[in-house]
Amino acid sequence: MAARSTPTAPQLRIWRDFIETVAAMQGELGRRLQDESDLSPADYSVLLALSDQSDHQLRSSELAATIGWERSRVSHHLGRMERRGLIRRDDCATDNRGAVVVLTDEGSAAFRRANVPHLRAIRELFIDRLDDEQLQMVDGITRALKTGA
């Protein structure tokens, strides 16, 4: 007997519930982040990636790969962040075609101000709604989805 090629109605309901829940959480986290820190979720992603580096800088192509964006999206967004003083772009010493994105003092301060309220919201909207066993199940599910296992 051949495997069914389309999801069943119950599987589709689970899928829709999953997608709608993730979108609602992302929307609420984004609204809170913007209201409390004046940073967009995209700003926060860039600042987080740069903050995670010991020297607080990444080549723009590495930044794009780290946050999972197309290079053109990164370039446009970095221009907006640069105008706000959150980052600066320096020429790459080893490659004249590339740029190094550097976290500025202002960007670092904005990230620090946003971090505690954002992490508090993550706890409230996600972590506190699940018990330890459920969190472990979510961990297993996300690992399986990431690796395709």
Side-chain angles (χ1 to χ4, degrees):
M1 184 196 277
R4 184 181 171 111
S5 63
T6 60
T8 65
Q11 290 169 334
L12 284 173
R13 181 198 51 77
I14 293 167
W15 169 250
R16 281 192 305 272
D17 286 350
F18 173 75
I19 294 300
E20 291 167 2
T21 300
V22 168
M25 284 183 147
Q26 286 177 321
E28 181 61 21
L29 282 170
R31 278 187 290 285
R32 289 185 187 195
L33 185 63
Q34 189 76 47
D35 291 348
E36 294 170 348
S37 69
D38 230 12
L39 294 176
S40 70
D43 295 336
Y44 190 86
S45 293
V46 170
L47 296 176
L48 175 62
L50 294 173
S51 293
D52 280 347
Q53 301 303 307
S54 60
D55 57 358
H56 293 196
Q57 61 183 2
L58 278 169
R59 288 189 53 151
S60 57
S61 58
E62 292 170 326
L63 177 61
T66 299
I67 60 179
W69 290 1
E70 295 292 326
R71 289 180 68 180
S72 62
R73 178 180 179 195
V74 168
S75 180
H76 291 293
H77 195 79
L78 292 178
R80 291 187 292 273
M81 291 181 75
E82 193 169 28
R83 287 188 291 278
R84 292 167 45 216
L86 300 172
I87 58 102
R88 74 171 191 272
R89 288 184 278 191
D90 295 341
D91 291 332
C92 182
T94 60
D95 178 6
N96 356 350
R97 294 175 296 141
V100 176
V101 182
V102 181
L103 181 65
T104 63
D105 289 343
E106 188 175 336
S108 183
F111 180 73
R112 283 192 310 274
R113 283 191 306 272
N115 213 25
V116 170
H118 186 58
L119 294 175
R120 192 178 302 125
I122 291 169
R123 174 165 286 289
E124 178 188 329
L125 296 170
F126 180 70
I127 295 168
D128 288 348
R129 294 181 181 187
L130 304 171
D131 63 30
D132 289 340
E133 184 179 336
Q134 290 170 321
L135 280 171
Q136 291 305 312
M137 287 190 306
V138 170
D139 185 39
I141 291 166
T142 55
R143 287 175 188 269
L145 292 172
K146 281 183 178 181
T147 62

